[in-house]
Amino acid sequence: MSVSRAGAPTRDAVRDWLVALLEEITSAPRAALTEAATLDALALDSVTFVELQVAIEDEWHIELDAIEVVELNALGPIVDYVHARIRERSA
Amino acid sequence: MSLFGPEHERFRARVRRLVEAELTPHADEWERARSIPRDVFRLLGAEGLLGLGHARAWGGQELDFGYTVAFTEELARSRMPGLGLSVIAQTNIVPPLLARLGTDEQKHAFLAPAIRGEQIGAFAVTEPTGGSDFVRAVQCTAVDDGDFWVVTGEKKFITNGPIADFVVALVRTRPEPGPGSLTLLVVPTDTPGFRVRESLRTLGMHTSSTGWLTFDHCRVPKRFTLGRPHLGYHYAAQNLLEERLVGGVGAVAVAALALADTIAHLQGRRAFERRLADLQAVRHRVAELAADVEMARRFVHAVCETFRDGRVEAKEICMIKFRVYELVQRVVERCAQLHGGMGFLEESWIARAYRDVRVLSVGGGTSELMKDLTAAYLRL
């Protein structure tokens, strides 16, 4: 995993990890998991959304605001959000 | 800090007196009528019991969650779990949504009258085609039409639906099946196009009305959107946690009452020239049931304590919803067995309780869904 000088993972590392996670829990093909892909298009159900949230929180030791994640909707902004949370925690 | 202090116990005693004087004596009559009078809500509202945790600005008492737990436990003494369910819908299902998400106009129009017991609210998520997977199951649609939403569809198994003055409905506002496609709307039931299609005849919980509702091009002002559009799934999912936790409190209280009745029955009835309570097989069974009830109560209280302190333990609440609720079903079933023939009489409370608790593993999210969610929290 790529790590920045501050000790937090790079944005690319967070994106790659998130893409791998979504590939696993949604069975979506990797090619579909672009930064423009949305949670709505991935058709997450209530259980897979919990899986997504818990996996992110456990992996990066952060707390997510689930409503903010849904509002962001697209993968790229969600990566930015998670990355920012990790950097806050690491600061 | 413990859930209850001396002030909670004084409050509990006051609620107990009220319940035993004003509600319990009517249990048989209201069970037969399959409904409770609307005045029950007004009575509880006038006593300040429908807004225990809510802001004084809207008629609430601003009391901590321990009071809600004490109130819910004492309500079980009405011997009408259906009444308890209807009241929980009025206290811990609809109002928290309005308090958390509502505008001042919505709070004036719906929250304050609900706390006074003057208006009855219902929370409508489940539909004839599905409930647990509501991200996908919701087909009731709201179409954007200027300052209005036009709502068309159906909701089924809705507690308090047939008697509601307003319904907080989860509707589809985007065609995609994902979590950002649903919205909460407050729909007054005098909106043209709204209709109670049927008051459902349920196996138990007869003192709680359950409805099948239809929305036929109901024009709902956009100012009645609760929270932000398209975020309804998450608002609803968060809100269900409080419902499931408070439901657990009420369920354990029913089990404790069933056990107390059973012990009294066993102490007063004789067989083989002894009290039933002296038979070893019976004593062991009662000991097991008492242990079950006590474990359940302590687990539920522990989660209530953290809830009071502002931490919502979603995984543990899911565990309560399947493990504790099913334990209560088992306890009540075994208590009915220990009542012998009495437990099979329509007139006996234990028989009614046996029917009533059947819904616990279904309503508010099935046990199967709760186990799936728990597994998700465990990252299996």
Side-chain angles (χ1 to χ4, degrees):
Chain A
M1 179 184 300
S2 308
V3 176
S4 69
R5 275 181 293 180
T10 63
R11 185 187 182 283
D12 285 351
V14 173
R15 184 199 58 212
D16 292 347
W17 179 85
L18 196 55
V19 165
L21 174 68
L22 285 168
E23 191 179 17
E24 178 190 334
I25 66 175
T26 68
S27 304
R30 184 168 283 252
L33 297 170
T34 65
E35 297 221 359
T38 64
L39 297 180
D40 284 339
L42 293 172
L44 297 183
D45 61 26
S46 49
V47 177
T48 49
F49 190 83
V50 168
E51 285 178 337
L52 172 69
Q53 182 181 349
V54 173
I56 294 171
E57 291 181 341
D58 280 2
E59 180 70 20
W60 305 109
H61 307 290
I62 57 174
E63 272 195 36
L64 291 186
D65 180 336
I67 288 176
E68 200 163 339
V69 172
V70 171
E71 276 193 293
L72 294 169
N73 201 14
L75 189 53
I78 292 173
V79 171
D80 290 336
Y81 170 77
V82 172
H83 188 234
R85 283 278 172 283
I86 297 168
R87 288 172 65 92
E88 280 171 22
R89 195 241 321 139
S90 306
Chain B
M1 192 175 75
S2 164
L3 202 52
F4 307 122
E7 64 282 10
H8 296 88
E9 296 307 333
R10 283 192 292 275
F11 168 80
R12 178 190 292 281
R14 175 168 81 83
V15 174
R16 183 175 300 189
R17 284 194 298 274
L18 178 79
V19 168
E20 292 184 343
E22 303 292 339
L23 303 179
T24 315
H26 300 287
D28 290 343
E29 172 193 350
W30 294 347
E31 281 284 338
R32 279 193 301 273
R34 285 182 169 253
S35 67
I36 53 174
R38 287 181 71 97
D39 282 351
V40 168
F41 293 96
R42 288 182 187 274
L43 169 71
L44 297 176
E47 291 286 337
L49 299 172
L50 297 181
L52 293 172
H54 293 294
R56 290 188 187 279
W58 309 111
Q61 305 292 318
E62 296 187 5
L63 295 169
D64 69 56
F65 194 62
Y67 288 88
T68 295
V69 175
F71 171 59
T72 306
E73 289 177 343
E74 292 308 312
L75 210 51
R77 292 178 177 274
S78 70
R79 294 186 175 270
M80 291 175 276
L83 179 146
L85 175 62
S86 275
V87 172
I88 287 174
Q90 183 76 359
T91 53
N92 297 98
I93 299 180
V94 175
L97 284 167
L98 293 165
R100 190 155 46 96
L101 304 170
T103 62
D104 279 359
E105 181 192 7
Q106 291 167 352
K107 289 174 182 172
H108 270 297
F110 305 110
L111 177 61
I115 287 173
R116 291 194 299 269
E118 294 169 358
Q119 286 195 26
I120 297 169
F123 186 38
V125 173
T126 302
E127 301 191 1
T129 49
S132 289
D133 181 17
F134 61 80
V135 171
R136 291 178 175 145
V138 169
Q139 296 178 14
C140 185
T141 303
V143 176
D144 188 333
D145 185 21
D147 292 335
F148 291 85
W149 295 106
V150 180
V151 181
T152 302
E154 296 184 307
K155 295 288 177 184
K156 196 170 182 181
F157 307 113
I158 308 305
T159 299
N160 289 347
I163 58 172
D165 299 290
F166 65 91
V167 173
V168 175
L170 187 67
V171 297
R172 182 164 299 285
T173 43
R174 285 177 175 160
E176 301 90 343
S181 56
L182 305 176
T183 299
L184 287 176
L185 301 181
V186 186
V187 184
T189 54
D190 59 3
T191 303
F194 175 87
R195 185 168 66 91
V196 178
R197 175 169 169 170
E198 190 177 332
S199 282
L200 299 168
R201 287 182 66 82
T202 51
L203 173 68
M205 296 287 189
H206 291 164
T207 46
S208 176
S209 59
T210 307
W212 184 351
L213 314 176
T214 63
F215 305 80
D216 182 8
H217 296 88
C218 290
R219 293 180 67 77
V220 179
K222 281 199 175 156
R223 66 180 196 281
F224 288 170
T225 305
L226 199 48
R228 290 149 75 176
H230 317 305
L231 295 179
Y233 160 73
H234 285 283
Y235 296 145
Q238 285 180 350
N239 204 62
L240 282 165
L241 293 171
E242 179 169 342
E243 172 188 341
R244 291 166 183 157
L245 180 57
V246 176
V249 171
V252 173
V254 169
L257 200 58
L259 182 59
D261 278 10
T262 302
I263 290 171
H265 174 77
L266 297 171
Q267 288 173 329
R269 196 164 175 89
R270 298 183 69 82
F272 306 104
E273 300 180 343
R274 280 182 290 178
R275 299 182 314 159
L276 287 179
D278 292 328
L279 298 172
Q280 190 178 50
V282 170
R283 295 168 70 82
H284 286 189
R285 173 53 58 88
V286 171
E288 288 168 359
L289 296 176
D292 283 346
V293 171
E294 195 56 32
M295 283 192 300
R297 177 164 33 212
R298 288 183 187 227
F299 180 40
V300 171
H301 280 183
V303 178
C304 286
E305 273 187 42
T306 57
F307 189 86
R308 174 200 59 195
D309 297 339
R311 202 152 47 87
V312 180
E313 296 181 303
K315 180 180 70 194
E316 286 73 13
I317 291 174
C318 288
M319 291 174 173
I320 287 172
K321 180 66 180 67
F322 71 86
R323 181 60 81 199
V324 171
Y325 282 43
E326 289 181 358
L327 178 147
V328 168
Q329 289 177 324
R330 192 168 64 245
V331 167
V332 172
E333 187 273 332
R334 290 180 180 173
C335 286
Q337 173 67 22
L338 289 169
H339 273 76
M342 287 294 293
F344 197 56
L345 289 181
E346 177 75 19
E347 70 209 43
S348 75
W349 179 73
I350 193 69
R352 286 210 303 253
Y354 174 70
R355 281 197 319 246
D356 289 342
V357 299
R358 178 64 195 87
V359 77
L360 293 178
S361 52
V362 178
T366 61
S367 289
E368 290 76 12
L369 173 65
M370 293 305 114
K371 290 171 189 174
D372 271 343
L373 287 171
T374 301
Y377 283 115
L378 293 170
R379 294 194 66 187
L380 287 181

